Amino acid sequence: MTVLTPKSESQPGPGRTAVPSRARAWAMTLLVTLFLFLNFANKASLGLVAEPFTRELGLSNAEFGLIVGSTYFLFGAGTLAAGVLGSRVRTRWLLVACVIGWVVTQAPMTLPLGLGGLMACRVLLGAALGPGPALASDVAYSWFPLERRAFPGGIVMAGTSLGVAVSSPVLAWVMVEHGWRTVFAVLAVASAGWAVVWLAVGREGPFSVAEDGAAPGERREKPDYRAMFRSRTWIACVIGLFGASWTAAVVTNWLPTLISRVLHVEGTAMGFVNGAAWTTDLCCTLTFCFLADRAYRKKRSARKARSLPGGLLLLGSAVCMLALPLLGDGALALGVVVLGFPLYGVFIPFGLASIAEVAPVRQRSAALLTGFGLGQLSALIGPWLVGVLVDAAPDGNTGLYAAFALTGALLLVGAVAMLFLARPDRDTWPAV
């Protein structure tokens, strides 16, 4: 077990004369929030066009699940690679590289590609999408001291739910009016526009490694993986992120199908219901993260303010998914899907904030990207396995129920890990 060392992030490092204005800090936070908005809109795009996509190409559920799952073949690997590069390349440039990847992989989706071409685009897209949440969180954390990070982190992660909540009805309308291929063209153009704005004004903040006043050759240090892998808090967060990433992959790509097939809400209405679930995620993320910062400043306890609530949120989402088969297909089931399922998403900023709590500032980027990358490995098989379960079941409803019950079980494991293993107040590892 590693030892507790004093935190020094609440003050600007040597060489910085003043902390920038709160307006600039929040402007950068909102800009990376928009980055995650586009990240998840790009990720969710294939799930939104599932019905016309599979019908036009004559795909089975398992084949569609394989294409969707291919998005995650390099999802975690891309994040882990960014973790290695994070010790050498500034986060600002890693963000640009990710967005360029979105553009060059979404644009070909407007063409009549075969199965191999579609999978290749999705594989490369996944590699560029994977690092997004950790990179965006790292930028947000660089603009705020330790005791004020949960709410900005929640704002940033709200971009994930906002990206699907807003894009679902908008892109559903684009699909109905202009065809499913146009959806990918719209996303490619929007992503390119964000990259232009970020290159013009985007920067890391005063609490970043890149701005800590060290000499250019000393800005980064080699991550202490031995200490990282011994940290119970880091391990618990990775287990929680494993379940949350699996759930995010399944929900992003299969929740529209669950809504239309099981709950019998179709077409544009399906887009609004799907968007409503992500709106719940958005509202809960902002509310709980705001309360977490208040609790942290009042009690000075990261466990009570972050890791413990994070575990309880995973538990709530798990219970809702496990209970779904008992609720039928009426208003009660719809309410649980819209209001209960999304609670898992609130855990992600709590888990990332807990990792940032225990990692030294110069290893924060690597700790976030490595932990999130390992957690994201679950997304590699989640969407494909759902397709297999749906095809193997005697009917589609039974297969979807089984898939979401399995998802709930994984969330339950993550909840137990966070509730009983995570101790961020005493699990900080020292800088090398």
Side-chain angles (χ1 to χ4, degrees):
M1 182 60 60
T2 52
V3 297
L4 179 66
T5 57
K7 287 283 183 181
S8 59
E9 294 183 69
S10 293
Q11 300 296 328
R16 289 194 291 268
T17 58
V19 177
S21 68
R22 293 184 65 183
R24 183 168 175 78
W26 282 109
M28 292 299 103
T29 300
L30 293 177
L31 191 53
V32 292
T33 300
L34 182 57
F35 167 84
L36 278 192
F37 176 101
L38 292 169
N39 179 292
F40 264 63
N42 277 280
K43 186 189 298 184
S45 57
L46 197 55
L48 288 170
V49 303
E51 293 295 334
F53 178 82
T54 54
R55 184 169 58 250
E56 180 176 324
L57 299 180
L59 301 174
S60 68
N61 289 303
E63 288 171 329
F64 174 71
L66 183 62
I67 295 174
V68 170
S70 67
T71 308
Y72 302 93
F73 284 178
L74 296 180
F75 200 71
T79 307
L80 292 171
V84 174
L85 291 173
S87 63
R88 301 174 178 84
V89 181
R90 292 179 66 160
T91 304
R92 178 172 185 254
W93 299 112
L94 292 175
L95 286 171
V96 174
C98 286
V99 177
I100 291 173
W102 306 349
V103 175
V104 300
T105 53
Q106 289 287 61
M109 295 289 288
T110 62
L111 304 174
L113 301 176
L115 184 62
L118 291 169
M119 289 187 64
C121 286
R122 298 301 292 186
V123 168
L124 296 175
L125 174 66
L129 291 172
L135 290 174
S137 297
D138 191 37
V139 172
Y141 295 156
S142 76
W143 286 95
F144 296 90
L146 188 66
E147 67 274 10
R148 296 185 179 273
R149 282 189 183 154
F151 187 55
I155 292 281
V156 170
M157 291 307 300
T160 63
S161 51
L162 190 64
V164 184
V166 174
S167 69
S168 288
V170 172
L171 295 179
W173 177 85
V174 170
M175 175 184 67
V176 171
E177 295 295 325
H178 303 285
W180 63 267
R181 296 183 191 277
T182 309
V183 168
F184 300 104
V186 169
L187 290 170
V189 171
S191 299
W194 184 92
V196 172
V197 174
W198 177 253
L199 286 171
V201 301
R203 296 292 185 274
E204 295 170 68
F207 301 100
S208 71
V209 176
E211 303 294 341
D212 68 355
E218 300 174 343
R219 283 178 176 167
R220 306 280 176 171
E221 66 182 22
K222 183 178 179 181
D224 186 358
Y225 288 108
R226 180 177 297 181
M228 188 185 301
F229 295 145
R230 287 203 306 260
S231 167
R232 294 200 311 170
T233 298
W234 186 86
I235 292 170
C237 290
V238 171
I239 295 172
L241 289 169
F242 187 92
S245 297
W246 169 291
T247 307
V250 169
V251 166
T252 301
N253 295 288
W254 284 100
L255 185 59
T257 303
L258 177 75
I259 293 169
S260 60
R261 293 186 186 179
V262 176
L263 303 181
H264 310 297
V265 180
E266 302 177 351
T268 304
M270 176 276 294
F272 279 102
V273 173
N274 189 53
W278 289 92
T279 301
T280 298
D281 189 350
L282 167 66
C283 295
C284 288
T285 297
L286 295 179
T287 301
F288 282 107
C289 288
F290 175 77
L291 294 175
D293 268 355
R294 289 189 62 182
Y296 188 98
R297 291 194 296 271
K298 182 177 180 180
K299 300 180 179 179
R300 308 296 297 182
S301 171
R303 171 168 168 75
K304 292 180 180 178
R306 292 172 186 168
S307 62
L308 187 60
L312 293 174
L313 288 163
L314 287 178
L315 180 62
S317 187
V319 169
C320 289
M321 292 188 184
L322 292 169
L324 182 64
L326 306 176
L327 305 179
D329 59 358
L332 180 58
L334 184 62
V336 167
V337 167
V338 171
L339 300 176
F341 276 26
L343 293 177
Y344 79 91
V346 189
F347 167 76
I348 296 177
F350 280 81
L352 293 176
S354 296
I355 290 176
E357 178 87 20
V358 299
V361 60
R362 295 196 182 189
Q363 298 185 39
R364 186 181 64 214
S365 178
L368 288 168
L369 287 162
T370 302
F372 198 54
L374 291 173
Q376 286 177 324
L377 292 177
S378 63
L380 179 63
I381 62 171
W384 166 78
L385 186 56
V386 171
V388 171
L389 289 172
V390 171
D391 279 344
D395 59 81
N397 285 14
T398 301
L400 287 168
Y401 282 141
F404 278 89
L406 175 59
T407 301
L410 291 174
L411 290 176
L412 186 60
V413 173
V416 171
M418 289 302 297
L419 293 174
F420 293 99
L421 285 181
R423 295 292 188 276
D425 297 304
R426 64 185 189 215
D427 199 19
T428 306
W429 68 82
V432 177

